Amino acid sequence: MKNINLLMIILISIFFIGKCWAEEVNLYSARKEHLIKPLIDIFEKDTGIKVNLVTAKSSQLHQRILREGNNSPADVLLTTDAGNLWKASNENFFQPINSSALNNRIKSKYRDKDNLWFGLSLRARIIVYSLDRVSKEELKGYKFLSNPIFKNRILIRSSGNIYNQSLIAHMIAKYGEENTEIWAKGLVNNFARDPAGGDRDQIKAIAAGIGDIAVVNSYYIINMLNSDNKDMFNSLGIYFPEDEEMGTHFNISGAGLLINAPNPNNGKRLIEFLASDKGQKIYSNINYEYPVVENIEIPNELKNLGTYKEDSTNIYEYGQLSFKAIKLADRAGWK
Ligand code: FE
């Protein structure tokens, strides 16, 4: 009898130790593995929670979660852009997270109003221009880019890209749909060429003399400055758009906890870690985005880009306008 009791105690202990070791969290990430892996390694080491990482494009993860339905093993969806986060919350992917750490650290303008998703890093959509052909005084915010003085001089990628959809959505939130459509038509009239390539290609097209002003995400500039393309920037300037009405457009990368998350507590802990001082600092140093939490030391590359006045619009407000933005861009003939 004594031996049987002892055996039971041993078996129960093994079960609980095994369970403790089996703590895990399933992360679906639209961020590339090399951008997120260093953070995962530290999270695993600090918490003992194993992170099972699935990486794919944002649209692929969205489809996968839809397909998996209630049986989805996903705990956390990490993706870029307010538009993508809004689409996910619109499909009821997320459950609200009740976390004083997240609420205290992340300003309400960078998270969903019902706490269904939280911004974790910021990227500015800014301007690179030819120092030879553009004087800085000519640049007066986003709205002014539709002015005919920029005829055949503007370089920007297609409106099929979510970065532009979010910029247009932000303009709608700021100026209304009608004014934004007039603006978009003027902008299209000023295109140096039909939209082609990604953000980096727009910068290269200035260097090649195809156009004078490119609209790009901030981290691409740093990636190019850290590459063989560095010398190109000897003749290029960087400008954070701003006028009396609208400051610089910042977008987010962010995450939400899935509604059927099998490991909701671990999912919450992972998101809290990404918003911690440690997480924010590493995140910013790997991907050259701005921290979403205030007073985090940023890398010199980011400091050197320049100072800015961020627009005051709540990201939630324009995230939900992305469908309107797509239709508006179509009407304006923005390919
Ligand atoms: Fe990008």
Side-chain angles (χ1 to χ4, degrees):
M1 190 66 189
K2 223 175 174 183
N3 281 345
I4 290 172
N5 280 344
L6 193 65
L7 186 67
M8 282 298 283
I9 289 168
I10 290 168
L11 282 175
I12 289 167
S13 310
I14 288 171
F15 176 76
F16 277 107
I17 292 167
K19 201 165 164 44
C20 170
W21 283 343
E23 283 292 325
E24 60 180 2
V25 61
N26 301 316
L27 172 62
Y28 281 19
S29 170
R31 311 229 68 178
K32 294 197 180 86
E33 184 164 347
H34 72 273
L35 293 179
I36 192 77
K37 195 73 175 60
L39 285 155
I40 289 174
D41 290 344
I42 294 169
F43 175 77
E44 286 182 331
K45 210 169 127 230
D46 284 2
T47 62
I49 300 169
K50 183 171 178 355
V51 179
N52 304 312
L53 177 66
V54 173
T55 54
K57 284 190 175 147
S58 191
S59 55
Q60 291 169 332
L61 293 174
H62 187 96
Q63 288 307 319
R64 180 165 169 167
I65 292 169
L66 278 179
R67 211 168 47 237
E68 290 170 341
N70 292 345
N71 300 320
S72 176
D75 291 301
V76 173
L77 173 65
L78 177 68
T79 189
T80 54
D81 207 283
N84 285 330
L85 287 160
W86 186 81
K87 275 177 211 159
S89 62
N90 194 42
E91 298 271 11
N92 292 323
F93 279 8
F94 299 135
Q95 57 176 298
I97 304 178
N98 188 2
S99 162
S100 52
L102 292 176
N103 289 347
N104 291 336
R105 297 177 66 77
I106 303 172
K107 281 190 209 162
S108 57
K109 71 183 272 200
Y110 300 135
R111 51 184 156 89
D112 175 63
K113 67 172 181 21
D114 300 318
N115 291 340
L116 292 170
W117 47 259
F118 293 82
L120 295 168
S121 65
L122 301 169
R123 59 269 299 280
R125 196 135 182 83
I126 58 178
I127 283 171
V128 175
Y129 62 97
S130 160
L131 288 172
D132 301 329
R133 303 187 293 272
V134 180
S135 84
K136 193 157 188 187
E137 288 66 47
E138 281 183 282
L139 298 169
K140 294 166 188 163
Y142 298 99
K143 206 177 172 192
F144 196 67
L145 291 175
S146 68
N147 191 290
I149 65 160
F150 297 128
K151 181 94 182 149
N152 298 327
R153 300 169 73 191
I154 305 280
L155 292 154
I156 189 163
R157 71 200 291 176
S158 115
S159 68
N161 175 266
I162 195 143
Y163 306 152
N164 286 336
Q165 291 164 9
S166 283
L167 175 61
I168 298 166
H170 192 160
M171 303 282 287
I172 296 174
K174 201 78 192 177
Y175 301 110
E177 204 170 343
E178 219 179 291
N179 289 330
T180 303
E181 191 167 335
I182 295 167
W183 169 79
K185 282 179 178 155
L187 186 74
V188 170
N189 266 328
N190 287 343
F191 282 180
R193 61 170 181 192
D194 279 348
D199 283 4
R200 274 177 282 235
D201 298 308
Q202 314 312 317
I203 297 173
K204 289 176 190 164
I206 304 178
I210 295 168
D212 298 342
I213 295 164
V215 182
V216 298
N217 277 0
S218 44
Y219 54 88
Y220 288 116
I221 300 172
I222 297 173
N223 288 340
M224 285 178 77
L225 281 166
N226 286 340
S227 77
D228 295 344
N229 293 305
K230 185 170 177 259
D231 293 343
M232 203 182 273
F233 282 83
N234 294 337
S235 58
L236 298 176
I238 295 162
Y239 167 69
F240 286 80
E242 175 193 333
D243 59 32
E244 313 75 48
E245 287 170 283
M246 182 170 171
T248 300
H249 165 73
F250 277 77
N251 207 325
I252 52 170
S253 81
L257 184 64
L258 277 297
I259 199 157
N260 295 311
N263 310 288
N265 286 330
N266 295 346
K268 179 180 165 186
R269 283 180 74 181
L270 177 60
I271 297 173
E272 285 176 341
F273 169 75
L274 294 172
S276 68
D277 282 359
K278 202 186 209 176
Q280 286 283 295
K281 203 171 167 189
I282 301 165
Y283 211 11
S284 177
N285 274 280
I286 305 170
N287 59 21
Y288 298 120
E289 288 178 286
Y290 296 89
V292 80
V293 174
E294 282 180 334
N295 301 320
I296 303 286
E297 177 73 12
I298 57 170
N300 285 331
E301 286 95 331
L302 264 180
K303 284 183 200 156
N304 294 340
L305 277 189
T307 54
Y308 51 83
K309 196 189 102 208
E310 204 181 315
D311 191 60
S312 57
T313 306
N314 188 320
I315 283 183
Y316 169 78
E317 249 183 82
Y318 72 76
Q320 60 182 338
L321 292 168
S322 55
F323 287 122
K324 269 194 178 164
I326 294 168
K327 288 187 189 143
L328 188 150
D330 261 0
R331 292 198 299 273
W334 185 340
K335 290 183 186 161

